Amino acid sequence: MSVEWRLCGFRRQIGLLIFLHLVADMVGGQIRYSIPEEMKKGSVIGNLAQDLGLDLKRLRSGRARIVTGESIQYTELNTDKGILVVNERIDREQLCGDVTPCSFSIEVILENPLELHRITVEVLDINDHAPVFPNQDKHVSLEISESALTGTQFPLQGADDMDVGQNALQNYVLSQNENFILKQHANPDGSKYVEMVLQKPLDRERHPHLSLKLIAVDGGTPQRSGTVNIDITVLDANDNVPVFNQSVYKASIMENTKIGTNVVTVNATDADSGIYGLITYSLSKMKGGAAEIFTIDESTGAITVSGPIDYEKDRKYEVRVEARDRGGLTGTSKVVFDVSDVNDNPPVINVMSFSSTISEDAPPGTTIAILNIKDADSDKNGQIKCSLDRKLPFKIESSLTNYYNLISDQFFDRESVSKYNITVTATDSGAPPLSTSTTLHLIISDVNDNAPLFEKQSYSAYIVENNSPGTSIFTVSARDSDWNQNARISYILEETHISGSPISSYLSLNSENGVISAARSFDYEQIKELQIVVKAQDGGSPPLSSNVSVKILIQDQNDNPPQVLYPVQTGGSMVAEMVPRSADVGYLVTKVVAVDVDSGQNAWLSYKLQKATDRALFEVGLQNGEIRTIRQVSDKDAVKQRLSVIVEDNGQPSRSATVIVNVAVADSFPEVLSEFTDFAHDKEYNDNLTFYLVLALAVVSFLFITCLVVIISVKIYRWRQSRILYHSSLPVIPYYPPRYSDTLGTGTLQHVYNYEVCRTTDSRKSDCKFGRAASQNVLIMDPSSTGTMQRIQIL
């Protein structure tokens, strides 16, 4: 790394230091630390938290960090201890060159609230470099004429020591000789150069060659030095030194001038003639990067550009030109180059602070990012305008010099726009202008500002009775336009009571997916519908919710067979209906009355004659269950008639019940008695058949007179009733007695009623007239009594 390059870096650092100093004055006081260069990584620079008066918790909560704007991060902030430590090797010579004092500035940024502190770190020089002469082989050759006059000066290339101050080059020492003494000079920039001065004429015949040593010594501890050997060849007389026509040449060049461009030509003359008047040009030792930027034609003195010229690195170059004749005499001059700026640097955008996520309820004016925008060019070329690429709810405001705040300009709505890609463009005022863009990706975080919504105000669901517990009935679903936890919906069943029992004993609700399930098996005959309220609640804080009404209708299933109310089926006695032999066609024998506790078509009953002793004699009404004669009763018809009637509902599949109706076809009670006695004997399976016959005859004899009167009365009464029903034009439809309380299939009636039924063809609009309890003649055959028939009057 050359001294010129380090000088450029030093100047850049000086410019940055001045800028940071100005900004620091606008923000707050500065803290200054002094450290020696070449400290080990991790070495403590200072207790930053203590010096700034900050608490360690504040450093962590504020996400304290260091911003330098340079590619090399020399320092690091340990937020756990609040100390500033060395992060990278600090070479003072690389950082500042020969400028002193050497320092660099850093910025400590804290957030919430925003704080900006300026820290200046001064790097102290240590004597880590010895003076070095530019000649790689440490050998200098001079040719001096023996005619050189006393006092003639011979400039020597000085040594270079990258240290500064006391550690820098302090003195030159020339080895002891009788011809030359050493004379030291200082340049305007503080550097030193030396000349050998001839104090005694040379004598080529005595000493054609001289060997001297030039020692450069610094002032450090321990002291360092550099040595170069000077070999002098004594020539014949050359008594005129080349002289330049100008002591100082000045030229102006644009940065980025093409390589090979001729910028200035120097000219020197020598009064000598012959070979002593021939001059060659060369550039003497140059600091910084000038040695790599300019070259000179040794014959013509034309200086051309041989390297890149950057205004931002060096704004002025100074070079020394030497004109040497063949006699070894040298004349010098100086060339000063002023560099003009060209707009060749686009603005540089550094994001100092950026919150990639912002809440949607953040008010307008909230700071999103802090940007540091610089342009290395000068004047108009470095003037910056900052803008956004398109219409966005943000704006740019300038806070400090080269600092810009990106702030919100209106309220956000995450449900409309969940993220923004914000492109910030910085444009300078050069011609043509240069610009730089950076894109910030901002995510809008959700706030629980939307309640869950159902698609409908109410829902209806259906379930068939006799379901299995756990059967899914219906699924409610709500949506929440919020995000993440705020949109996580839980479903809650509002607590109500049905028939004194909590709704949870009937239904269950899955809180995650909204599935409503049956907690028990439903019976349509007990519950026909359930009204519930489901609440959808999100997971926000505080949570938001909405309700929906759900009506669950229990659908009937054909799970109940018809129940026969009349005739009553008894276990021990046989009930028979008496039909006189004089009965005409259509005579009403009896009526089968049945009910079905199901509903709808599951309760529509039909009656059919399944079996009969004589199918040609009786028929059953399909809808009303009336048993009537379909022909004239004749004397040939058997007294005992057994009918099997099946009652079916209209369900799918249908259910049925069977009733046995015993009919006695006879005009007199004895005839009925004899037939049914035989019938009873057929059903009795007993070895003592004779005993029962004798017992039956005894009973009949005892009750003969009483039974005769009863039979005659019953016959007359039934004949009158049958004639009334036969001539009636209204159909008779089964009716469920209001005082029938045993609906679970016990098969018994608490009371027997006679009804006058007045029905229209539309049974739903029919009227029923309930009559008082009346007597009815029924023949009961007791199988346990041999040959005995009882006549009872049922009230």
Side-chain angles (χ1 to χ4, degrees):
M1 181 182 298
S2 65
V3 176
E4 290 78 6
W5 186 90
R6 290 194 299 272
L7 180 59
C8 294
F10 157 73
R11 291 172 177 170
R12 183 173 64 256
Q13 294 294 334
I14 289 298
L16 178 61
L17 185 63
I18 294 173
F19 159 75
L20 293 178
H21 179 72
L22 293 176
V23 174
D25 289 340
M26 300 175 67
V27 177
Q30 280 196 355
I31 295 178
R32 189 179 187 90
Y33 295 107
S34 295
I35 61 172
E37 65 175 331
E38 305 293 344
M39 292 181 68
K40 293 182 179 180
K41 183 176 181 180
S43 300
V44 177
I45 298 175
N47 193 325
L48 190 62
Q50 180 179 349
D51 296 336
L52 290 177
L54 298 175
D55 187 70
L56 294 181
K57 293 182 180 179
R58 170 59 180 146
L59 292 179
R60 289 190 288 269
S61 64
R63 297 192 299 172
R65 59 191 180 278
I66 293 176
V67 179
T68 64
E70 297 293 336
S71 60
I72 300 178
Q73 187 83 18
Y74 290 110
T75 59
E76 182 180 17
L77 177 61
N78 187 329
T79 56
D80 293 333
K81 298 181 180 179
I83 59 176
L84 188 67
V85 298
V86 176
N87 184 55
E88 291 289 342
R89 171 180 172 268
I90 302 176
D91 187 351
R92 193 207 63 79
E93 288 71 28
Q94 180 181 356
L95 181 64
C96 299
D98 55 358
V99 176
T100 184
C102 177
S103 64
F104 62 92
S105 296
I106 60 175
E107 301 170 359
V108 178
I109 293 181
L110 293 90
E111 298 179 1
N112 300 320
L114 179 65
E115 291 183 42
L116 182 64
H117 299 277
R118 298 288 188 270
I119 311 298
T120 300
V121 179
E122 180 180 2
V123 182
L124 303 178
D125 182 58
I126 63 174
N127 192 24
D128 57 342
H129 294 88
V132 177
F133 288 92
N135 304 78
Q136 294 182 357
D137 56 356
K138 298 183 179 180
H139 183 83
V140 175
S141 296
L142 295 177
E143 295 178 348
I144 303 176
S145 175
E146 65 177 348
S147 61
L149 300 176
T150 302
T152 303
Q153 299 176 349
F154 300 91
L156 300 175
Q157 288 187 339
D160 186 24
D161 192 342
M162 290 190 291
D163 294 325
V164 296
Q166 188 65 26
N167 297 325
L169 177 63
Q170 298 295 326
N171 194 18
Y172 289 93
V173 178
L174 186 64
S175 62
Q176 187 174 3
N177 66 93
E178 62 180 10
N179 297 103
F180 295 94
I181 62 172
L182 197 63
K183 188 175 182 180
Q184 302 184 36
H185 301 276
N187 289 317
D189 59 1
S191 61
K192 295 181 179 181
Y193 68 95
V194 294
E195 293 178 337
M196 287 193 312
V197 179
L198 184 64
Q199 66 175 356
K200 181 180 179 181
L202 297 174
D203 187 357
R204 180 178 176 278
E205 287 68 31
R206 290 179 58 193
H207 303 288
H209 296 282
L210 296 175
S211 293
L212 305 176
K213 285 187 177 181
L214 180 63
I215 302 172
V217 182
D218 64 18
T221 302
Q223 193 176 56
R224 294 175 180 269
S225 63
T227 303
V228 66
N229 295 319
I230 302 174
D231 294 332
I232 300 175
T233 301
V234 181
L235 303 177
D236 285 340
N238 178 28
D239 55 355
N240 288 289
V241 177
V243 178
F244 286 91
N245 58 358
Q246 291 181 220
S247 60
V248 177
Y249 293 86
K250 292 185 179 181
S252 178
I253 57 175
M254 301 290 292
E255 70 172 323
N256 300 329
T257 299
K258 292 183 179 180
I259 295 176
T261 302
N262 185 6
V263 291
V264 69
T265 301
V266 297
N267 182 44
T269 59
D270 195 320
D272 295 324
S273 61
I275 60 173
Y276 296 121
L278 297 177
I279 298 174
T280 57
Y281 299 94
S282 64
L283 298 178
S284 64
K285 173 191 170 186
M286 295 179 287
K287 287 191 174 185
E292 300 175 356
I293 296 177
F294 301 102
T295 59
I296 189 170
D297 189 303
E298 65 178 11
S299 300
T300 64
I303 299 177
T304 58
V305 177
S306 60
I309 297 176
D310 190 351
Y311 175 84
E312 287 69 43
K313 290 184 178 180
D314 290 293
R315 302 187 179 186
K316 179 182 289 189
Y317 295 97
E318 292 185 6
V319 297
R320 291 182 54 149
V321 182
E322 293 181 353
R324 184 185 299 272
D325 61 19
R326 297 295 178 90
L329 299 180
T330 303
T332 62
S333 181
K334 182 169 64 175
V335 181
V336 178
F337 298 98
D338 291 322
V339 182
S340 299
D341 184 39
V342 173
N343 190 27
D344 58 342
N345 291 281
V348 177
I349 301 176
N350 293 313
V351 180
M352 312 302 291
S353 175
F354 172 56
S355 299
S356 60
T357 302
I358 187 173
S359 176
E360 66 174 316
D361 62 350
T366 301
T367 300
I368 308 298
I370 300 176
L371 307 176
N372 176 252
I373 305 177
K374 301 177 181 178
D375 195 316
D377 294 321
S378 62
D379 299 330
K380 288 186 177 181
N381 296 333
Q383 295 178 1
I384 300 171
K385 294 181 180 178
C386 195
S387 63
L388 301 177
D389 65 334
R390 57 192 177 94
K391 185 64 177 178
L392 291 173
F394 306 97
K395 61 182 179 180
I396 295 287
E397 290 184 352
S398 178
S399 56
L400 307 174
T401 304
N402 293 334
Y403 279 84
Y404 297 85
N405 292 338
L406 175 64
I407 62 175
S408 61
D409 196 29
Q410 64 184 42
F411 287 99
F412 300 108
D413 184 8
R414 192 205 65 83
E415 288 69 40
S416 299
V417 181
S418 61
K419 61 182 179 180
Y420 292 93
N421 294 325
I422 309 169
T423 300
V424 180
T425 301
T427 306
D428 61 27
S429 301
L434 300 178
S435 63
T436 301
S437 297
T438 186
T439 300
L440 304 177
H441 303 283
L442 180 65
I443 298 175
I444 309 300
S445 63
D446 186 47
V447 172
N448 191 28
D449 55 351
N450 292 279
L453 295 177
F454 291 95
E455 294 182 357
K456 297 181 180 179
Q457 296 293 330
S458 62
Y459 295 93
S460 296
Y462 301 88
I463 184 172
V464 180
E465 66 171 332
N466 302 320
N467 59 285
S468 299
T471 301
S472 297
I473 302 175
F474 187 70
T475 301
V476 293
S477 179
R479 59 180 181 84
D480 195 315
S481 54
D482 290 323
W483 182 74
N484 205 359
Q485 185 67 26
N486 295 331
R488 188 171 297 169
I489 299 175
S490 298
Y491 299 93
I492 303 172
L493 186 62
E494 293 288 351
E495 189 63 34
T496 57
H497 287 78
I498 298 178
S499 301
S501 299
I503 190 63
S504 58
S505 63
Y506 292 89
L507 301 170
S508 64
L509 175 63
N510 190 309
S511 61
E512 294 183 359
N513 54 27
V515 175
I516 301 174
S517 303
R520 63 164 66 176
S521 179
F522 295 113
D523 187 356
Y524 175 81
E525 287 71 39
Q526 294 181 0
I527 301 176
K528 292 181 171 53
E529 70 176 39
L530 298 171
Q531 287 276 3
I532 63 173
V533 175
V534 176
K535 179 171 72 173
Q537 180 175 289
D538 61 28
S541 179
L544 302 178
S545 63
S546 61
N547 296 337
V548 68
S549 176
V550 181
K551 179 190 288 186
I552 300 177
L553 302 174
I554 313 299
Q555 293 182 325
D556 184 47
Q557 194 177 42
N558 191 27
D559 57 343
N560 293 284
Q563 298 178 8
V564 178
L565 304 181
Y566 187 85
V568 179
Q569 303 294 294
T570 60
S573 300
M574 293 181 294
V575 180
E577 302 288 345
M578 181 177 289
V579 177
R581 293 186 179 276
S582 59
D584 295 333
V585 176
Y587 177 80
L588 178 63
V589 178
T590 187
K591 179 178 180 180
V592 178
V593 179
V595 296
D596 194 321
V597 295
D598 292 324
S599 64
Q601 65 179 9
N602 295 330
W604 296 352
L605 302 179
S606 60
Y607 304 82
K608 296 179 183 178
L609 185 61
Q610 187 180 30
K611 295 180 181 179
T613 304
D614 187 353
R615 297 186 66 88
L617 180 58
F618 301 100
E619 68 176 358
V620 178
L622 181 64
Q623 302 297 331
N624 54 27
E626 294 180 348
I627 301 176
R628 294 180 180 273
T629 59
I630 57 177
R631 61 176 175 80
Q632 185 71 39
V633 180
S634 64
D635 295 337
K636 296 181 180 181
D637 293 323
V639 175
K640 291 189 305 180
Q641 296 287 335
R642 185 182 178 89
L643 308 179
S644 177
V645 179
I646 184 170
V647 183
E648 291 183 341
D649 59 27
N650 198 39
Q652 295 294 331
S654 64
R655 292 177 175 267
S656 64
T658 303
V659 60
I660 302 299
V661 180
N662 296 313
V663 179
V665 180
D667 291 328
S668 62
F669 181 77
E671 183 179 2
V672 174
L673 179 64
S674 62
E675 290 296 331
F676 276 85
T677 298
D678 294 338
F679 180 76
H681 280 290
D682 293 338
K683 294 183 68 68
E684 191 73 27
Y685 186 78
N686 200 310
D687 294 337
N688 298 323
L689 182 60
T690 303
F691 171 78
Y692 288 112
L693 290 175
V694 173
L695 183 61
L697 290 174
V699 173
V700 171
S701 299
F702 179 78
L703 299 175
F704 175 76
I705 297 175
T706 303
C707 292
L708 183 61
V709 175
V710 171
I711 291 173
I712 294 173
S713 299
V714 170
K715 185 176 181 180
I716 294 173
Y717 176 80
R718 288 178 61 83
W719 178 79
R720 291 182 63 187
Q721 289 294 108
S722 63
R723 299 308 298 173
I724 293 173
L725 294 173
Y726 180 77
H727 292 289
S728 175
S729 61
L730 297 175
V732 179
I733 298 176
Y735 176 73
Y736 191 105
R739 297 186 62 183
Y740 176 67
S741 61
D742 187 3
T743 61
L744 299 178
T746 59
T748 61
L749 284 174
Q750 295 178 343
H751 300 279
V752 177
Y753 289 83
N754 285 335
Y755 305 98
E756 293 182 9
V757 183
C758 301
R759 310 284 284 184
T760 64
T761 56
D762 188 352
S763 61
R764 292 176 296 179
K765 300 179 180 179
S766 302
D767 297 327
C768 296
K769 179 179 180 182
F770 301 97
R772 62 178 177 81
S775 62
Q776 180 174 348
N777 293 325
V778 180
L779 294 178
I780 301 177
M781 187 66 183
D782 188 356
S784 64
S785 302
T786 305
T788 303
M789 176 173 288
Q790 299 178 0
R791 178 177 181 274
I792 63 174
Q793 185 177 34
I794 303 175
L795 300 179

